[in-house]
Amino acid sequence: FIILDRFMRASGTFSQPNPYAGFLGLALPVTLSLALLSVGSALRQPRRMVAWLWAAFYLGATLLLAAALLASWSRGGWIGAAAGVTVVIVMRSRRAALLFAGVALLVLAALLLGSLSPAQLPQPVAARVQEVPAFFGVGDPLNQEVNDDNFALIERLAHWVAAQRMFAASPLLGVGPGNYAAVYDTYRLPRWEEPLGHAHNVYLNVLAETGIIGFAAFVVLWSASIVFVVRRRAHTRDAWANALAVGMLGVLAHLAVHNLVDNLFVQGMYILVALWLALLDASTYGSQTDSAAGAAASVHT
């Protein structure tokens, strides 16, 4: 966990950097969305001091979370945060979506023309990022010699292979909920004896333990969560609740992407997601009640 030969990777009270980064990523999209709302409100009301105080609060929280996420040195946290922030910016408004699309096209063109490359990043960050493609099947790191730099990557991939073998052995029902570590020794690769408790990929872990049936239920659950947030956003007229809903979509995006390379359902973080959903439900309940009352009055008339 040493970075730059000098610092420890930030882990807060989580003891490990990756779940700490996941926790930060499950808050960052919401603070960003509320910061964009509050800054826009302050610019429209430049003489209202309270608006500027709220803008400073949300903007400061966003920058603090982003700095802590960087200090965690978690690649999964970084790509998850990138997905969450992208969703927030794109969903904020049509103008923001068009602006983001234009910037993305310019960056893509620069990459294709060779005028922009990861090597232009600070060397420690570039070295950390260059292994990300291996997570998605680029190269064959499992056949490389293990060293301090690639140990975490190869260890994670070895556990993915074990999960794939479990699913192949029992594709319909899996090896049983919570049994990944219990049966790991039967399916593991040589030299990787420690089961670590899960496959470091939620989707592979669900497939390994519960098979196709459990995975289908898992997909339905999180699809329903997305539909819930989208519907709540569509039915609210409150700007704060709308921004909260956009931030929640970013949270679910971070959860979906970061879970490709890790397991964020640890140390009670699922409770954080549940609390965000509950807050959104409470924040939009009044708007729904007013809309229902108005509709009822119209029918009565």
Side-chain angles (χ1 to χ4, degrees):
F1 293 160
I2 297 293
I3 55 176
L4 307 179
D5 298 321
R6 180 178 179 184
F7 303 105
M8 285 286 290
R9 292 174 60 185
S11 57
T13 58
F14 286 78
S15 300
Q16 291 187 332
N18 290 324
Y20 174 64
F23 170 75
L24 296 171
L26 295 180
L28 180 62
V30 175
T31 60
L32 173 62
S33 182
L34 294 174
L36 293 174
L37 171 70
S38 57
V39 168
S41 176
L43 291 174
R44 289 191 298 270
Q45 307 171 77
R47 296 185 179 180
R48 193 178 177 211
M49 184 58 64
V50 174
W52 284 105
L53 290 175
W54 278 114
F57 172 76
Y58 285 123
L59 192 58
T62 301
L63 294 175
L64 187 61
L65 286 172
L69 187 59
L70 176 63
S72 73
W73 219 242
S74 169
R75 289 166 295 202
W78 292 352
I79 61 175
V85 168
T86 297
V87 167
V88 169
I89 294 175
V90 169
M91 296 296 294
R92 191 77 190 104
S93 66
R94 289 184 179 180
R95 181 181 300 176
L98 290 173
L99 180 61
F100 180 84
V103 172
L105 286 174
L106 289 175
V107 171
L108 180 60
L111 287 171
L112 293 175
L113 293 173
S115 57
L116 185 65
S117 71
Q120 293 173 315
L121 294 170
Q123 194 280 327
V125 176
R128 191 69 176 159
V129 171
Q130 68 182 4
E131 292 182 342
V132 169
F135 286 126
F136 303 99
V138 179
D140 188 16
L142 281 174
N143 291 323
Q144 296 178 6
E145 182 181 350
V146 180
N147 55 49
D148 289 343
D149 293 329
N150 64 18
F151 178 87
L153 170 65
I154 298 178
E155 181 184 43
R156 184 177 273 107
L157 294 179
H159 280 74
W160 292 5
V161 171
Q164 291 167 357
R165 290 178 173 181
M166 293 178 198
F167 172 65
S170 182
L172 191 61
L173 296 175
V175 297
N179 281 345
Y180 176 87
V183 302
Y184 174 78
D185 194 59
T186 304
Y187 300 96
R188 67 176 177 85
L189 292 176
R191 297 188 302 167
W192 302 100
E193 296 87 1
E194 181 62 40
L196 300 181
H198 55 78
H200 278 276
N201 179 310
V202 162
Y203 307 101
L204 289 177
N205 207 102
V206 172
L207 278 170
E209 293 188 348
T210 62
I212 295 174
I213 294 177
F215 185 76
F218 181 84
V219 171
V220 168
L221 169 66
W222 292 106
S223 298
S225 299
I226 295 172
V227 171
F228 167 79
V229 175
V230 170
R231 293 188 64 180
R232 280 294 189 268
R233 185 191 179 204
H235 288 88
T236 184
R237 291 172 292 179
D238 180 71
W240 192 89
N242 185 285
L244 177 62
V246 171
M248 266 303 304
L249 291 174
V251 166
L252 293 176
H254 178 101
L255 190 69
V257 172
H258 194 163
N259 269 336
L260 286 168
V261 295
D262 221 320
N263 181 359
L264 295 192
F265 300 124
V266 295
Q267 302 198 31
M269 277 192 281
Y270 40 82
I271 298 176
L272 176 60
V273 179
L275 288 172
W276 281 134
L277 292 170
L279 178 60
L280 177 62
D281 187 44
S283 300
T284 56
Y285 177 77
S287 298
Q288 286 198 319
T289 303
D290 293 342
S291 299
S298 299
V299 171
H300 178 74
T301 301

